[in-house]
Amino acid sequence: MQHYEERLTAPRSWWTIAVLIGVACALITLPLGTIPMLGGLVVGGALATIAVSAYGSVRIRVVGDTLLAGDARIPCAALGAAEALDAEGARAWRTHKADSRAFMLLRGYVPTALRIEVTDPADPTPYLYLSTRSPERLAAAVAAGRESAAKADQG
């Protein structure tokens, strides 16, 4: 059984933008006085930081025979072939090759991805598209989870 965990954190430049949003809010409230300016700095910066943190805190994990991608829990037994996508392939699968029924955990700042077929006939989702910095490692972990689920079903 292989364990995999990855957090898709936001790039550093987004944190800089969050700070600049706080400064912009301070400048907007500057004509109202010092206290409102400080309030604008704190509130604007805090809200921007919360937004960046919430968007950049998504996790992808394989625990036992289950794939956890964001809020989704998918048994590895319901998954088929996995395809590691380089930057060009990932862009193609999130644009002109994309299926609107697919589950997409998409982060534009992560150039590579993993596409995994869904083999469960009761599930209308054709595939999972997961932005990941380590598509080969994630594919290996899903394959190990699928094998673990198959062994558990047999034994």
Side-chain angles (χ1 to χ4, degrees):
M1 171 174 52
Q2 188 164 351
H3 179 77
Y4 177 87
E5 184 165 354
E6 177 180 14
R7 176 174 279 191
L8 300 178
T9 56
R12 290 185 190 135
S13 61
W14 289 26
W15 295 103
T16 303
I17 292 170
V19 170
L20 292 175
I21 288 173
V23 170
C25 289
L27 291 174
I28 290 169
T29 55
L30 178 63
L32 302 175
T34 305
I35 301 296
M37 179 194 67
L38 292 175
L41 175 68
V42 170
V43 171
L47 290 176
T49 300
I50 289 169
V52 169
S53 178
Y55 187 76
S57 67
V58 68
R59 286 185 176 190
I60 300 173
R61 299 182 301 180
V62 177
V63 180
D65 61 354
T66 304
L67 170 65
L68 304 157
D71 293 333
R73 295 179 60 96
I74 305 125
C76 290
L79 300 175
E83 177 186 2
L85 303 171
D86 61 4
E88 185 178 318
R91 187 170 50 91
W93 277 104
R94 69 178 176 255
T95 56
H96 66 274
K97 287 185 175 182
D99 187 329
S100 61
R101 300 171 300 154
F103 174 82
M104 299 187 87
L105 182 66
L106 174 63
R107 294 297 182 262
Y109 51 83
V110 178
T112 55
L114 183 69
R115 183 181 162 275
I116 310 169
E117 292 182 22
V118 176
T119 57
D120 183 1
D123 191 345
T125 306
Y127 62 89
L128 310 175
Y129 175 98
L130 306 173
S131 291
T132 175
R133 291 183 175 94
S134 305
E136 292 85 11
R137 282 186 47 228
L138 179 55
V142 169
R146 192 170 45 246
E147 290 172 13
S148 172
K151 288 178 184 175
D153 287 344
Q154 292 174 354

